Amino acid sequence: MLGGSSRISHHLRIRECNYHHYHQNQNLGLGFCSSRIFQLSSFMVRPLSAAIIGENRKQRLQQRLVSSSSLQSKSPGEMPTLPSCFSEREDDRELPAEGFSPVAGGIVALGKFDALHIGHRELAIQASKIGAPYLLSFIGMAEVFGWEPRAPIVAKCDRKRVLSSWAPYCGNVAPVEFQIQFSSVRHLSPQQFVEKLSRELGVRGVVAGENYRFGYKAAGDASELVRLCEEYGMDACIINSVMDKHQDSRDIGCNDFKERGQVSSTRVRQALAMGDMKYVSELLGRQHRLILTVNDHDELISTSNKHRVSVPKSCLLNLPPKEGFYGNGVLLFGEENPVKCRIFIDASHIHLEMDKVGFCNFDHSQDFKLLGIEFGDLQC
């Protein structure tokens, strides 16, 4: 069990929460991301009474309760399967009532949430202890700052599946992502940002890591966040960083002043670049899964041996490990049963070798397919 939060200062209402590592296996189905994007500057919200917020939150919790039986950990010998939500579309989901924020009355965890690693999961866990958990992050930062585009660690269409696997840690409630266009809040001061959370979004509380910074030019820190949340009548929970027990900051060559040896998306990227899949799994709290689009059967390069297939890297939707050979993999194709495979990555393709035919039931008539490749902990 995670330790409960302890209040350090009654005035600042800071709660420090200790992290305890879980070793529970995750449900490994594949679903589509249901993140919603909102421009805060154009958000019109009616005044929310406590009763309305409470009722909204209750309804959302009931809708998002995840059956514990459907998320039971699989035994080590079992392989993941793809659930019926494989083809779910974002626009099939019910939109919030006009004028009401989707996160009204909820508890938002603040961060970037690129890798959805165990540190991010800990934020969601603490948020779920206070209320309905949400992950609030910004999109469009690369475009605003002119950063070079890079592949995400988790494919956008796979994020819902990962968040669903966190439900057993979060009171059987899967956290929901809520994304804001960075350009709409870039110039807000720390106070203006917290005011947005309180008055426009109707947030009841926030959870953030001890190194979290916010506001224009990152002017606000964790203590400022707590002070401002108290001013606007919101709860604020500041948690200790989840530390990487195997590496220190010298090992990843990072010049980030915030780098103190904590689990981070930077460390996940470095571990993938090294091809250390055991380390990647420890940081993520799950095995890394690649997602590829297969728009045309011709993109699958089959050899005379029907147990082998190759897919061009141009089909990738997220970041692969370095070139090399990886054993103990799992191939997930459509809604077919998963197939054990060995994985070889070169400069242009990902090659898969299976113990049985994996593509015999491929439907040439379908325009779009997703291929999942999950890595075990070992590199051969």
Side-chain angles (χ1 to χ4, degrees):
M1 289 290 292
L2 282 166
S5 302
S6 60
R7 189 163 297 188
I8 295 178
S9 166
H10 291 288
H11 176 66
L12 292 180
R13 302 170 71 187
I14 297 179
R15 302 173 186 174
E16 286 193 357
C17 310
N18 295 325
Y19 169 77
H20 290 268
H21 183 63
Y22 284 84
H23 296 283
Q24 181 177 356
N25 291 331
Q26 306 297 309
N27 180 24
L28 295 170
L30 178 64
F32 279 74
C33 174
S34 61
S35 303
R36 302 194 183 104
I37 302 169
F38 292 85
Q39 289 280 356
L40 279 183
S41 58
S42 61
F43 215 109
M44 298 298 294
V45 180
R46 304 188 192 109
L48 297 176
S49 69
I52 291 175
I53 290 176
E55 183 61 28
N56 270 1
R57 176 171 166 263
K58 180 179 178 182
Q59 290 174 358
R60 285 197 310 277
L61 272 171
Q62 290 173 342
Q63 292 168 356
R64 288 166 41 215
L65 278 176
V66 180
S67 168
S68 58
S69 61
S70 69
L71 289 167
Q72 288 296 319
S73 299
K74 296 183 177 294
S75 63
E78 290 186 78
M79 291 186 293
T81 57
L82 299 178
S84 58
C85 64
F86 184 85
S87 60
E88 180 184 352
R89 293 180 179 272
E90 283 190 43
D91 51 13
D92 292 333
R93 296 178 61 88
E94 183 180 353
L95 294 176
E98 182 181 357
F100 286 94
S101 160
V103 296
I107 307 299
V108 296
L110 302 172
K112 292 183 179 177
F113 305 112
D114 178 16
L116 294 178
H117 53 60
I118 57 175
H120 296 149
R121 188 178 70 189
E122 182 65 13
L123 289 170
I125 289 170
Q126 297 305 324
S128 72
K129 290 181 176 180
I130 307 171
Y134 293 88
L135 306 185
L136 189 150
S137 58
F138 306 111
I139 59 172
M141 293 182 71
E143 292 80 359
V144 170
F145 291 119
W147 297 339
E148 288 293 325
R150 60 181 183 177
I153 295 171
V154 183
K156 180 180 178 181
C157 61
D158 196 33
R159 293 178 70 85
K160 182 182 175 183
R161 189 268 308 181
V162 175
L163 294 178
S164 293
S165 74
W166 291 1
Y169 301 96
C170 299
N172 285 336
V173 177
V176 173
E177 289 199 282
F178 181 77
Q179 296 181 325
I180 296 171
Q181 287 285 356
F182 178 69
S183 59
S184 69
V185 297
R186 178 186 181 185
H187 296 291
L188 296 183
S189 68
Q191 180 169 352
Q192 289 171 328
F193 175 69
V194 173
E195 183 178 10
K196 290 276 188 184
L197 294 179
S198 174
R199 295 184 178 174
E200 294 193 17
L201 295 181
V203 169
R204 186 165 67 86
V206 301
V207 177
E210 59 186 342
N211 297 324
Y212 184 73
R213 300 196 70 90
F214 67 104
Y216 185 56
K217 295 186 177 179
D221 60 10
S223 344
E224 181 78 351
L225 179 63
V226 171
R227 184 187 69 78
L228 289 169
C229 283
E230 179 172 301
E231 181 179 329
Y232 285 91
M234 295 191 295
D235 289 327
C237 180
I238 304 301
I239 70 170
N240 294 328
S241 298
V242 177
M243 304 307 292
D244 179 0
K245 58 185 178 182
H246 296 298
Q247 304 284 332
D248 61 36
S249 58
R250 293 170 296 179
D251 294 316
I252 66 169
C254 181
N255 295 322
D256 189 345
F257 71 94
K258 294 188 294 184
E259 173 59 52
R260 298 185 179 95
Q262 71 272 22
V263 172
S264 66
S265 297
T266 298
R267 286 179 180 268
V268 177
R269 288 183 179 274
Q270 290 288 334
L272 286 169
M274 295 185 294
D276 188 341
M277 302 314 292
K278 184 175 187 298
Y279 184 28
V280 171
S281 296
E282 291 172 353
L283 294 172
L284 294 178
R286 64 183 184 276
Q287 293 179 332
H288 182 56
R289 182 179 291 190
L290 282 184
I291 304 295
L292 304 94
T293 59
V294 181
N295 298 302
D296 193 320
H297 185 253
D298 293 338
E299 291 179 338
L300 302 175
I301 304 172
S302 299
T303 65
S304 57
N305 186 340
K306 293 184 179 180
H307 294 243
R308 295 179 182 176
V309 69
S310 298
V311 187
K313 279 186 170 179
S314 58
C315 295
L316 282 171
L317 296 182
N318 60 317
L319 186 65
K322 78 169 186 177
E323 296 173 16
F325 183 75
Y326 300 87
N328 194 29
V330 175
L331 170 67
L332 301 108
F333 190 72
E335 297 185 19
E336 300 298 324
N337 292 328
V339 179
K340 289 183 178 179
C341 65
R342 291 165 293 281
I343 307 159
F344 177 73
I345 302 177
D346 63 23
S348 60
H349 285 79
I350 297 177
H351 308 278
L352 307 171
E353 184 179 73
M354 295 152 280
D355 294 329
K356 63 180 180 179
V357 178
F359 292 94
C360 57
N361 295 324
F362 181 80
D363 184 355
H364 293 213
S365 66
Q366 294 197 21
D367 295 329
F368 179 80
K369 283 283 190 177
L370 290 180
L371 180 69
I373 302 173
E374 197 160 277
F375 291 80
D377 292 342
L378 300 177
Q379 179 184 16
C380 300

